[in-house]
Amino acid sequence: LEVRSERNGVSRQLRRTSGLSAARNGQQQATPIPVLPPLWLLQARDSGRLLSRLGELGGNPGAISMGYDGPSDCYVIGNKNGPSIWIDQDELSVVRIQLRGGVIYRMGPQKGFAGGIVLPSWVEMESPGAPRLRLELQGAKPFEPGEATFRPDWLTAGAR
């Protein structure tokens, strides 16, 4: 994720299974606000990969229960109070991703974009000690990243 603003410069975040890394104006941030959700969970092609990716985040893919998130009756895969994926029973879409440390991402209704991409229309982030943030997805398009794209040194390269 890259955010550019006249007031705050360039902020970048990179999420890998090992965690979140971030930089602002080319300087690493030790404790970033986790704006970037693990969208790669939404890209799982089948249930096996989804469960595997939840396990990579520290969730228990064998724990399945029921829960409510807003108006949605949900299947909860993982621990309700820990890393988990909440799936709307009717739409079978992810409505919530919860990570360690109380970080929660809530997903809006699914929206189609160019190239057959389907993503939530918005994502809200809640994290202890941080302001609630909402990302409105205005567009998306297929992109074939190069070898150097999103390597850890991307965070600080040319971002000043």
Side-chain angles (χ1 to χ4, degrees):
L1 174 70
E2 181 177 272
V3 177
R4 292 178 177 267
S5 75
E6 288 182 25
R7 192 174 98 183
N8 293 318
V10 177
S11 294
R12 291 180 175 168
Q13 292 194 355
L14 181 61
R15 182 175 292 282
R16 297 178 181 266
T17 56
S18 59
L20 180 71
S21 300
R24 175 172 284 158
N25 298 321
Q27 300 297 311
Q28 291 277 57
Q29 291 183 291
T31 55
I33 295 173
V35 176
L36 182 62
L39 291 175
W40 46 268
L41 274 174
L42 305 178
Q43 298 169 338
R45 290 194 170 114
D46 55 52
S47 60
R49 289 182 191 176
L50 179 69
L51 296 175
S52 174
R53 289 176 179 180
L54 175 61
E56 292 168 359
L57 290 172
N60 178 358
I64 301 174
S65 60
M66 303 298 287
Y68 296 104
D69 191 69
S72 299
D73 291 327
C74 298
Y75 300 111
V76 181
I77 304 171
N79 304 321
K80 282 187 181 179
N81 297 319
S84 55
I85 302 169
W86 297 55
I87 300 172
D88 181 278
Q89 286 184 56
D90 297 324
E91 301 293 324
L92 296 179
S93 61
V94 176
V95 296
R96 176 174 167 170
I97 297 172
Q98 189 163 311
L99 303 179
R100 288 186 176 125
V103 176
I104 298 172
Y105 297 96
R106 287 194 166 79
M107 314 293 171
Q110 298 292 303
K111 183 176 178 181
F113 295 98
I117 296 172
V118 177
L119 291 169
S121 54
W122 51 261
V123 178
E124 285 185 349
M125 184 278 301
E126 299 174 26
S127 180
R132 177 181 276 185
L133 301 173
R134 181 175 170 124
L135 299 173
E136 298 275 345
L137 279 73
Q138 307 264 325
K141 62 183 178 181
F143 171 71
E144 193 65 41
E147 250 182 66
T149 306
F150 305 125
R151 289 188 352 209
D153 59 348
W154 168 80
L155 289 171
T156 56
R160 295 180 193 273

